[in-house]
Every structure is written in C-alpha cells, then in structure tokens.
C-alpha cells in the first residue's frame, strides 16, 4: 500500500484535494485475491439521452457524489496488506487484515457496484435497465418517476418532481456514510455542462479540459479545421526520431467520443501509424488538431429541444483501395431536428472491403445496431417511438440491396 494525493475538480468546478491510503493492486493474484473486476461506467449515449430529457421536459436534476464510495463495500475475499512505513511506529511497516473494501485493489469498483445495486434494487425498489446496467428507474405514484445513471461513484438523478430528488437523497443517505447532491452541477464525466432550462437545452463541451491541456496554443494562427482534406497519413513515412503520439491520441479520443465528434476523423487517422515512430506529417497534423481545439474550445453539443422524439440517422463510408486499404466507416444518430447527435462514430473497418457498396453496408450495419440499442433504452424509459427510423445513405447499390433484399454470390 501507499499514500497518494490528487487534485481534481468537483462537479461545480471547485478544487477538491484527495489524500488516500491505497492498495498496490498489481501485487494481487487473480483467483486468490480477486475474481471479477468490472466497474459501473455508463456510456455517453445514455448520458446524452438523459440530458436531453432533462432539458426538453424541464426535469429537476442533480449530480450525486458519494464520498469515499469504494470504502462502503465489503470484500468477498480475505485480504492482508503491509501499511506504509510513514504510518507505523519507528517507520517499521506492519501487516494488517483488510476488513472492508478500499481503493487500489483490482476488485474495488466491482465491490462498490455490488453494494450500490443492492441498495437501489433491494432497498429502494429501483428497476435496473437490462441493456445498460448503470441506468435505473423508479415510479413513485400517479406516473411520477425518478431516473438515475451511475458512473463509478458519480451519478445524475432526475425526476419530474422536486420531491423526487428529496426522496432519493433521504432514502439513499440511510445506506452510505456521506453523500452530496449538487443541484447546480456543471461537470460530469469530464464534460462541462451548461444547463439552460428556460430555453430547453443543455450544452456539453470540453472547454476546461482543452484549456488545461492546450493553453500554450493561445497565440498561434487561427485554424478552423482539425486536418487538411488533402492530408494522407496512411502513406506517410515513419520517423524513429519522433516520440509516440499515444498520449495525444488518447486525449483526443476522450473528447472525440463525447462532445467533440468534429475531430473523429482526425483522431482516427492520427491513431493509424501514430503509436510508434510517427511520421513528421503525423506530428504536424497532431499540432494542428490541438490548435484547432483551442481556437474552438467553446464548441460542443446542444442537447434538448421541445420536438417529439423521432430518431433519424446518417451513414457513409470512404472506400479505400490503396496503401492501408481498410475503409473508414462513419455515421451519426439524431433524436429530433433540434438536438445534437447523441451518437457519432468514425472508425476504420476491421477487414478489407472489395467494393464501395460493401463498405457502405458495413457502416449501415453499425448504425442499425446502435439504433436498436437506443430504442431499447427509450422503451425502458417509457418513451414511445412508433414511426420507422429513417437512415440516410448516398450509395445507390447499398440502397438497392436493402430495398430488394437480393442475395447473390457477391452479396450474400
């Protein structure tokens, strides 16, 4: 074990200092010290759907944070640990038995989630979503409801009644030592949230994250695109003198998969060949993307709108036949005309396509799977969607295959 100190933002952007005694989990042995290691992590689609409902229906909402959440759980294995010398008499480490859950062990998040689920389902009579185990609902009386989603020890809780939030906090507080609800929440999952209930919208962006990382780009020329459309990183020559771009692409991926889908293509192309010995063109493009992000740091997704929820989608593919010839597939899903896309993707195909039609159908397959998942979520939330979901695609061959359902040797 060891002692660590962390500085981080709370959900209202005040600084929080965390000093903890944590376990060195790398010393654990699977099957002896732990078994399962899963953690409760809600995906972005669920968060965006929930934020859209909060804005469009003007729901009462708050961000709930359980202090030292992992310490609440109870271990299923008998564990022992050596305490740091700084905490012991005469600086001599002593061996102790661990009675409860603690931070640093590989199963810490799983132990906490098991307890949280027992509290919500067994004690508070919430219903867990089958397709997203981190989403819960509870109906009170006369159609009134509470919805919550959880990400490790943080969660968003919303209700059509102010009393619904009060009820949740009163009941939940009976089962944990310390819990706090912020009604004026401004941050969740590393995203800035600007809530404007009067105009039925919530703006999601990464402004604080970008400023913290890329403030050195504040004096450079204005750049309005993350990557030039003529840039071809797949044919660029590796340069062993350049450092790996993994830290850069990791940060870019974090933003691209959440509130900045405009850098999805640039991030995907930088990841292709940028892990080891990236080319000079890779490095130059990465710098351009950082500059673009800083210049457009306030951009984000505007979720909400008062229109009826009626999803529709766009899908496309770029058929590539030279070099690294795995096609790039892309698409996005909107839930009405007045809300930003709640799902966007741009990724390399896993296999080589033999035609543009094949690559388009593969992209169509990805978007259909996500639409079915989103429909399941709305069904769980009792949001009725009766009309067919329209998917827009510009490849005539793919359209004809879907229209006629013809099966031949090349298309089966």
């Amino acid at each position: 074990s060891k002692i660590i100190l962390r500085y981080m933002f709370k959900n209202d952007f005040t600084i929080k200092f965390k000093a903890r005694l944590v376990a060195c989990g790398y010393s654990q042995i699977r099957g002896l010290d732990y078994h399962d290691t899963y953690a409760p992590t809600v995906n972005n689609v669920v968060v965006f759907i929930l934020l859209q409902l909060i804005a469009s229906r003007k729901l009462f909402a708050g961000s709930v944070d359980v202090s030292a959440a992992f310490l609440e759980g109870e271990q299923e294995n008998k564990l022992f640990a050596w305490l740091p010398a700084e905490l012991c008499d005469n600086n001599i480490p002593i061996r102790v038995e661990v009675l409860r859950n603690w931070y640093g062990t590989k199963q810490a998040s799983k132990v906490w989630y098991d307890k949280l689920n027992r509290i919500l389902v067994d004690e508070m009579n919430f219903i867990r979503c089958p397709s997203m185990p981190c989403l819960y609902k509870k109906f009170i009386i006369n159609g009134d409801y509470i919805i919550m989603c959880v990400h490790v020890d943080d969660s968003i809780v919303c209700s059509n009644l102010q009393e619904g939030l009060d009820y949740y906090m009163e009941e939940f507080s009976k089962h944990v030592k310390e819990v706090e609800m912020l009604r004026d929440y401004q941050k969740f999952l590393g995203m800035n949230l600007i809530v404007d209930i009067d105009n039925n919208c919530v703006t999601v962006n990464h402004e604080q994250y970008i400023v913290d990382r890329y403030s050195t780009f504040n004096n450079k020329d204005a750049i309005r695109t993350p990557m030039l459309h003529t840039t071809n990183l797949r044919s660029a020559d590796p340069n062993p003198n350049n450092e790996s771009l993994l830290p850069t692409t990791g940060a870019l991926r974090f933003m691209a998969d959440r509130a900045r889908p405009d850098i999805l293509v640039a991030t995907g192309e930088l990841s292709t060949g940028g892990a080891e010995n990236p080319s000079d063109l890779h490095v130059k493009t990465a710098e351009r993307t950082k500059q673009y992000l800083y210049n457009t740091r306030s951009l984000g997704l505007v979720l909400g709108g008062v229109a009826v929820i009626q999803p529709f989608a766009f899908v496309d593919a770029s058929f590539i036949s030279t070099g690294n010839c795995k096609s790039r597939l892309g698409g996005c899903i909107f839930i009405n005309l007045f809300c930003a896309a709640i799902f966007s993707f741009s990724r390399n195909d896993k296999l080589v396509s033999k035609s543009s039609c094949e690559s388009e159908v593969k992209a169509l397959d990805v978007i259909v799977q996500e639409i079915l998942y989103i429909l399941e979520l709305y069904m769980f939330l009792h949001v009725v969607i009766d009309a067919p979901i329209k998917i827009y695609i510009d490849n005539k061959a793919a359209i004809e295959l879907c229209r006629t359902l013809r099966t031949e040797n090349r298309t089966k």
Side-chain angles (χ1 to χ4, degrees):
S1 62
K2 61 183 178 182
I3 301 175
I4 61 169
L5 173 65
R6 291 182 61 194
Y7 303 84
M8 57 194 304
F9 287 113
K10 298 173 72 173
N11 286 351
D12 58 357
F13 279 99
T14 57
I15 296 292
K16 178 165 60 175
F17 306 92
K18 281 188 175 182
R20 284 205 176 110
L21 173 67
V22 302
C24 299
Y26 51 79
S27 63
Q28 291 182 273
I29 302 173
R30 186 180 185 90
L32 179 65
D33 300 315
Y34 70 97
H35 300 286
D36 298 325
T37 60
Y38 56 81
T41 52
V42 67
N43 63 33
N44 303 315
V45 171
V46 173
V47 174
F48 290 163
I49 286 176
L50 204 55
L51 291 176
Q52 193 275 337
L53 290 175
I54 290 171
S56 62
R57 298 183 177 184
K58 296 188 176 182
L59 302 180
F60 298 93
S63 174
V64 178
D65 179 31
V66 180
S67 299
F70 285 11
L71 305 182
E72 297 283 350
E74 298 178 2
Q75 285 288 348
E76 53 189 16
N77 293 37
K78 186 175 282 291
L79 295 181
F80 297 87
W82 290 97
L83 291 182
E86 298 87 351
L87 296 182
C88 305
D89 294 336
N90 302 320
N91 287 331
I92 300 175
I94 61 173
R95 188 168 180 263
V96 296
E97 181 179 356
V98 182
L99 300 180
R100 300 292 295 270
N101 191 31
W102 67 336
Y103 286 84
T105 58
K106 292 183 180 294
Q107 72 271 35
S109 56
K110 181 259 185 187
V111 172
W112 153 245
Y113 179 55
D114 287 345
K115 173 160 185 175
L116 175 65
N117 186 66
R118 286 195 298 271
I119 294 172
L120 293 174
V121 176
D122 298 338
E123 304 295 337
M124 299 177 63
N125 297 318
F126 272 77
I127 301 173
R128 183 167 63 173
C129 178
S131 54
M132 169 39 67
C134 295
L135 178 65
Y136 294 82
K137 69 178 180 183
K138 177 181 175 66
F139 289 97
I140 311 173
I141 54 174
N142 300 326
D144 299 324
Y145 55 87
I146 303 172
I147 303 173
M148 71 156 297
C149 66
V150 59
H151 187 92
V152 192
D153 59 346
D154 293 321
S155 59
I156 287 182
V157 182
C158 63
S159 175
N160 62 324
L161 296 175
Q162 180 66 55
E163 292 78 7
L165 298 186
D166 298 335
Y167 164 81
Y168 177 86
M169 287 300 295
E170 180 182 351
E171 291 299 314
F172 191 72
S173 298
K174 297 177 182 177
H175 304 282
V176 295
K177 290 183 174 61
E178 185 177 351
V179 60
E180 178 186 15
M181 174 178 283
L182 292 173
R183 306 295 174 96
D184 185 23
Y185 56 96
Q186 304 174 43
K187 188 173 180 288
F188 190 67
L189 302 188
M191 299 181 290
N192 300 5
L193 305 181
I194 304 172
V195 182
D196 187 356
I197 294 297
D198 293 336
N199 293 314
N200 298 92
C201 69
V202 176
T203 302
V204 183
N205 63 38
H206 291 288
E207 184 170 5
Q208 186 64 50
Y209 186 82
I210 293 171
V211 170
D212 289 344
R213 283 181 169 267
Y214 306 133
S215 58
T216 56
F217 292 85
N218 59 353
N219 294 321
K220 295 190 177 181
D221 297 334
I223 294 176
R224 295 300 175 187
T225 56
M227 184 174 71
L228 290 172
H229 70 280
T230 55
T231 301
N232 184 1
L233 296 178
R234 301 187 181 211
S235 60
D237 296 327
N239 185 347
N241 296 322
N242 291 330
E243 296 182 357
S244 171
L245 290 178
L246 276 178
T248 294
T249 54
L252 296 179
R253 175 59 61 188
F254 171 79
M255 292 180 280
D257 289 339
R258 288 168 174 77
R260 293 303 298 262
D262 52 331
I263 63 169
L264 274 170
V265 174
T267 302
E269 292 300 301
L270 283 170
S271 302
T272 305
E276 295 182 1
N277 304 328
S279 68
D280 293 338
L281 186 58
H282 276 81
V283 175
K284 183 178 179 181
T285 303
E287 294 296 299
R288 179 188 178 92
T289 304
K290 294 175 185 178
Q291 179 63 53
Y292 166 77
L293 283 170
Y294 191 83
N295 291 343
T296 60
R297 56 191 178 277
S298 61
L299 287 184
L301 304 177
V302 181
L303 307 168
V306 294
V308 175
I309 294 176
Q310 181 53 57
F312 61 94
F314 291 88
V315 68
D316 202 359
S318 177
F319 176 61
I320 300 173
S321 57
T322 59
N324 181 357
C325 52
K326 293 179 180 178
S327 301
R328 176 158 287 278
L329 316 178
C332 52
I333 301 174
F334 298 82
I335 57 176
N336 60 41
L337 292 171
F338 303 95
C339 180
I342 61 170
F343 172 77
S344 303
F345 79 99
S346 176
R347 66 184 68 156
N348 284 341
D349 193 1
K350 295 181 179 180
L351 301 173
V352 176
S353 297
K354 304 178 186 66
S355 65
S356 60
C357 177
E358 182 179 349
S359 61
E360 296 272 356
V361 171
K362 287 180 178 178
L364 191 62
D365 175 59
V366 174
I367 212 74
V368 167
Q369 292 181 50
E370 195 65 29
I371 287 174
L372 292 175
Y373 173 68
I374 289 173
L375 290 178
E376 286 186 7
L377 294 175
Y378 275 123
M379 187 181 302
F380 176 78
L381 296 174
H382 294 266
V383 176
V384 179
I385 300 175
D386 293 327
I389 310 301
K390 292 184 178 181
I391 303 175
Y392 296 91
I393 187 171
D394 63 358
N395 185 278
K396 291 185 177 180
I399 293 173
E400 285 300 300
L401 279 177
C402 295
R403 187 182 67 84
T404 62
L405 299 179
R406 291 181 59 181
T407 302
E408 301 174 352
N409 287 336
R410 290 183 297 170
T411 61
K412 60 184 178 182

